[in-house]
Amino acid sequence: VLHPRHKLTYFRQMKWEESWIKTVIDVVRNEWDVNYKPKPTTTTSSSSATQKYFSNLYRSVDGSLKDALAEYLATPNLPHVDNPIVYWMSQTPEKNPLAAMALDFLTAPASSTNVECAFSSGGRQVSKLRHSLADETIRAVCVLGLWSDNGLVPHDELIENIRKKSRSKGKETAVPSETDIVLSSDSEP
């Protein structure tokens, strides 16, 4: 919605149902109204300078407060805009609350990890016998497990490092085999 090249066209090209598109508009509208749209101000001294500035900036000729989101959606798409972040930065986000909203949304970092999966994995690491592990240890075990599942940690090197670590501490305990490690990572701790 906040990409000037696409706006609502993208959803129609993807053959979204009109009720879904209306929901998208409602979500964006609500976020705009609640968190970004300049509020009408009175001339009391308690009004912030920023609110007064935006309120004056977005007043129409008749004195009513303009709605930047409605105006943006009513204008034609801008097919020449390839990078929406550059476009919104050129709109002076400090002076344009719609640009500030667009940048807040368009620059939010994407997550490459399924959050629910990460929480489930972390939850399996903490049992009645392991409840006092430090959060750094749990995080390291989860990351190592994820990397291992995705082939980023060679099993042979991992086994060798565990064996070296055990020998360097002078432990005479049996070092687990690769099969033991794989089986224990697949089952509940």
Side-chain angles (χ1 to χ4, degrees):
V1 173
L2 296 173
H3 192 309
R5 174 184 238 167
H6 303 291
K7 296 185 184 180
L8 299 174
T9 306
Y10 168 82
F11 302 107
R12 291 190 175 99
Q13 287 175 343
M14 293 295 122
K15 299 183 182 351
W16 280 35
E17 294 179 25
E18 281 300 316
S19 64
W20 295 1
I21 296 172
K22 183 187 178 318
T23 300
V24 167
I25 295 168
D26 290 345
V27 168
V28 173
R29 162 69 51 205
N30 184 58
E31 184 65 24
W32 165 252
D33 288 342
V34 171
N35 295 309
Y36 292 92
K37 183 178 180 180
K39 310 287 187 251
T41 59
T42 59
T43 55
T44 64
S45 61
S46 64
S47 299
S48 76
T50 305
Q51 283 178 332
K52 288 178 186 176
Y53 174 81
F54 282 136
S55 182
N56 291 333
L57 182 67
Y58 284 94
R59 289 212 181 275
S60 298
V61 175
D62 66 358
S64 63
L65 202 56
K66 293 189 292 185
D67 187 342
L69 178 62
E71 288 181 9
Y72 164 76
L73 290 174
T75 60
N77 294 10
L78 302 175
H80 66 279
V81 175
D82 290 324
N83 187 332
I85 295 171
V86 171
Y87 170 82
W88 286 111
M89 287 296 292
S90 72
Q91 302 299 310
T92 319
E94 298 80 24
K95 296 180 181 178
N96 182 344
L98 185 59
M101 177 179 162
L103 288 169
D104 283 351
F105 280 79
L106 296 171
T107 60
S111 174
S112 61
T113 302
N114 180 334
V115 175
E116 186 176 330
C117 180
F119 276 111
S120 296
S121 173
R124 287 191 302 270
Q125 299 302 319
V126 181
S127 69
K128 291 179 182 178
L129 300 175
R130 302 174 87 189
H131 63 76
S132 63
L133 289 174
D135 59 338
E136 294 87 8
T137 304
I138 295 169
R139 186 178 312 119
V141 168
C142 290
V143 169
L144 182 62
L146 180 65
W147 288 352
S148 180
D149 291 345
N150 289 312
L152 299 174
V153 177
H155 285 288
D156 295 340
E157 288 181 34
L158 180 62
I159 299 297
E160 187 56 35
N161 284 334
I162 291 171
R163 287 187 176 133
K164 286 179 186 175
K165 190 75 168 173
S166 294
R167 285 186 211 123
S168 71
K169 289 187 175 181
K171 294 186 177 180
E172 297 298 326
T173 59
V175 177
S177 69
E178 182 176 351
T179 306
D180 294 336
I181 291 173
V182 171
L183 288 175
S184 68
S185 69
D186 290 340
S187 63
E188 292 280 327

